[in-house]
Amino acid sequence: MFARVLDKPELTVALGVTASREVLRLPPEMVANEQPMQAMRTLRQAGKDGRGALKALCTSIAARVARERDLSRVKRVRIVRARFDPLTYFEGAPEPEHAQRLMSCPVKAE
Amino acid sequence: MKRTARFWDWSAPAERLALTRVLVGAFASIYLLASTRDLLSAIDFSPRQLVPVGLTSWLSAPLPPWLVVASVVLVVATGLLFTLGLAFTYSAPLFALSLLWVTTYRSSWGMIFHTDNLLTLHVLLLALSPAADVWSLDARRRLQQGSALPHEPDARYGWALRAMSVVTVVTYALAGVAKLKLAGSTWFDGELLRAQIAYDNLRKIELGTRVSPLGPWLVRHHGVFRALALATLVVELGAPLALVRPRIAAAWAVLAWGFHVSVLLMMSIAFPYQLCGVAYASLFPVERAWAWGRAMARARLPRAAGRAGPDA
């Protein structure tokens, strides 16, 4: 473990957007389960599989968000691919160097 | 050659092996019960995510949901039988194989759960040993039927403990070798470790999980990582020394435990089996700690002591 040489990794993440356009990070259990790495792989795999897989994942995340009281403010789910610099991230530059929106879908109230 | 033979032909009391079984089995049962939701979550994954590994390599599609549920029920049920030492001849191999199956299936979705490996290997070894000859429901039944319980240390109780200890130190040593193989001498300047800790914390934050504040804070302090990188290699490559003598084993186990505490504090990665100490049980005469605990309890609570602890 922890032996691989890293560069600037690309991450695919799930975000929640509120009515006031505030962007929240969605917890891993909204994507897969409580394991953040499993959520990361699920998002990455959907990104690799293309629009159909991304749309299906986005819809399933939105359905979970709709059931979550704490996330009732979230009106849309976004799946975004972003490239970060891990070292500058914690030195005052947490913004991604590059970000691309892969999919967006509405949260339908239950 | 003689040294190797002497190492494996090592006598241990039946109680040591049995108590190790109880500790490992109890840990595994609690861990599995706590992980039930995670183990079952594979039911909802997309079939495209399946990346079968090891025992599940032959799978071309995900298991049907009922089989995932049945596997989890089986592993939890046999785990309890293993811990209690009931029908051990059958329940132990069944538990070991179902644990191997369930943990492998969990790791077949693109993420390898390193946290499960040592536990599974230890259970496999215990399942092959006579770990329920005492301190088990099987032993209690044999006692009631008039059979005598083993009282003398014997090599048949020692080999599994030795093998568990060897497996433990090999897992650490391999991690150390991998670091040197993949990173070479650059590992020693600490920047690689710093980048790993930074990346791990970054992805957890971006994936919406809470992280311990220590890792992000420490990443800003370059100097610390040279010492941490060296300490990591000392623990990992020094692991085989734990097999030399008990005092070294004790010192190494404390260092290894401290290493896992640091990983938890810096990267929020928990290795529960190592953190609770059970992973290192095979290195120690655990039955003496039990006897000491009983003696202490007797001294303090003379009335209750007569009822405490397993008799069989």
Side-chain angles (χ1 to χ4, degrees):
Chain A
M1 274 185 90
F2 319 132
R4 274 199 192 93
V5 182
L6 294 167
D7 190 22
K8 291 178 184 175
E10 239 180 20
L11 280 179
T12 308
V13 296
L15 303 171
V17 185
T18 67
S20 59
R21 294 189 176 262
E22 188 189 350
V23 178
L24 310 172
R25 295 178 181 110
L26 296 177
E29 55 269 29
M30 293 297 110
V31 179
N33 56 23
E34 285 168 6
Q35 301 288 342
M37 299 310 114
Q38 201 107 54
M40 187 180 84
R41 308 272 171 162
T42 304
L43 287 158
R44 190 196 291 167
Q45 187 61 42
K48 276 186 192 167
D49 291 345
R51 286 193 67 79
L54 280 166
K55 196 173 177 186
L57 180 61
C58 194
T59 310
S60 78
I61 295 172
R64 285 181 188 168
V65 168
R67 288 194 293 267
E68 194 67 35
R69 233 186 232 176
D70 294 347
L71 296 170
S72 58
R73 291 188 304 140
V74 174
K75 303 298 173 201
R76 286 196 81 78
V77 169
R78 263 186 213 161
I79 299 179
V80 174
R81 187 185 288 149
R83 183 183 293 279
F84 294 90
D85 182 328
L87 295 174
T88 59
Y89 187 90
F90 294 107
E91 290 173 344
E95 293 305 315
E97 290 186 352
H98 165 79
Q100 180 192 2
R101 190 188 301 180
L102 301 177
M103 185 54 64
S104 178
C105 60
V107 176
K108 291 173 187 159
E110 292 217 320
Chain B
M1 201 66 184
K2 267 186 186 173
R3 228 181 234 187
T4 311
R6 227 179 19 236
F7 177 83
W8 289 108
D9 190 27
W10 172 70
S11 293
E15 288 80 3
R16 188 173 304 175
L17 182 64
L19 188 52
T20 306
R21 180 204 88 235
V22 172
L23 290 170
V24 173
F27 172 85
S29 299
I30 294 167
Y31 178 68
L32 286 165
L33 281 169
S35 312
T36 308
R37 236 174 90 178
D38 252 16
L39 295 168
L40 295 174
S41 64
I43 291 172
D44 297 325
F45 290 160
S46 157
R48 283 170 178 250
Q49 280 178 255
L50 182 71
V51 188
V53 292
L55 202 62
T56 64
S57 298
W58 57 274
L59 285 178
S60 56
L63 296 174
W66 70 265
L67 195 51
V68 177
V69 175
S71 306
V72 173
V73 170
L74 179 70
V75 77
V76 170
T78 52
L80 292 173
L81 296 179
F82 174 94
T83 309
L84 295 169
L86 183 62
F88 193 76
T89 312
Y90 307 102
S91 65
L94 206 53
F95 174 51
L97 291 175
S98 56
L99 181 64
L100 179 63
W101 172 257
V102 163
T103 53
T104 308
Y105 191 65
R106 172 150 97 140
S107 287
S108 295
W109 297 90
M111 175 187 169
I112 305 292
F113 284 79
H114 298 282
T115 44
D116 296 344
N117 296 349
L118 188 58
L119 171 66
T120 308
L121 290 168
H122 280 177
V123 169
L124 281 164
L125 287 167
L126 283 167
L128 294 170
S129 73
D133 277 8
V134 294
W135 288 8
S136 66
L137 293 179
D138 284 350
R140 179 168 287 193
R141 200 191 61 234
R142 281 196 295 271
L143 198 64
Q144 283 164 353
Q145 288 168 350
S147 303
L149 294 177
H151 288 293
E152 294 301 315
D154 195 292
R156 70 196 170 108
Y157 301 117
W159 73 264
L161 292 165
R162 282 287 206 216
M164 286 172 74
S165 302
V166 169
V167 165
T168 305
V169 301
V170 166
T171 57
Y172 285 88
L174 282 179
V177 170
K179 284 182 180 66
L180 292 181
K181 194 179 165 194
L182 293 172
S185 58
T186 55
W187 175 263
F188 291 98
D189 70 18
E191 277 304 289
L192 185 60
L193 180 62
R194 183 169 160 253
Q196 283 280 1
I197 292 174
Y199 173 55
D200 194 77
N201 281 288
L202 179 159
R203 64 184 177 181
K204 282 182 181 136
I205 292 170
E206 289 299 324
L207 287 160
T209 319
R210 282 189 188 165
V211 295
S212 145
L214 184 65
W217 176 79
L218 211 60
V219 165
R220 292 180 216 127
H221 300 81
H222 302 232
V224 185
F225 288 91
R226 201 168 279 193
L228 287 175
L230 184 65
T232 303
L233 275 188
V234 167
V235 171
E236 291 181 342
L237 294 178
L241 293 175
L243 301 174
V244 175
R245 59 182 60 180
R247 277 195 181 180
I248 301 176
W252 176 80
V254 170
L255 285 175
W257 181 81
F259 166 78
H260 287 290
V261 171
S262 318
V263 171
L264 179 65
L265 292 178
M266 285 190 273
M267 300 165 94
S268 312
I269 297 175
F271 280 75
Y273 189 47
Q274 286 80 353
L275 282 168
C276 74
V278 177
Y280 312 111
S282 65
L283 291 162
F284 301 104
V286 283
E287 79 288 0
R288 288 187 205 158
W290 173 261
W292 179 81
R294 275 189 86 177
M296 291 294 283
R298 261 193 197 146
R300 288 191 183 176
L301 301 161
R303 282 184 195 172
R307 295 193 297 272
D311 299 310

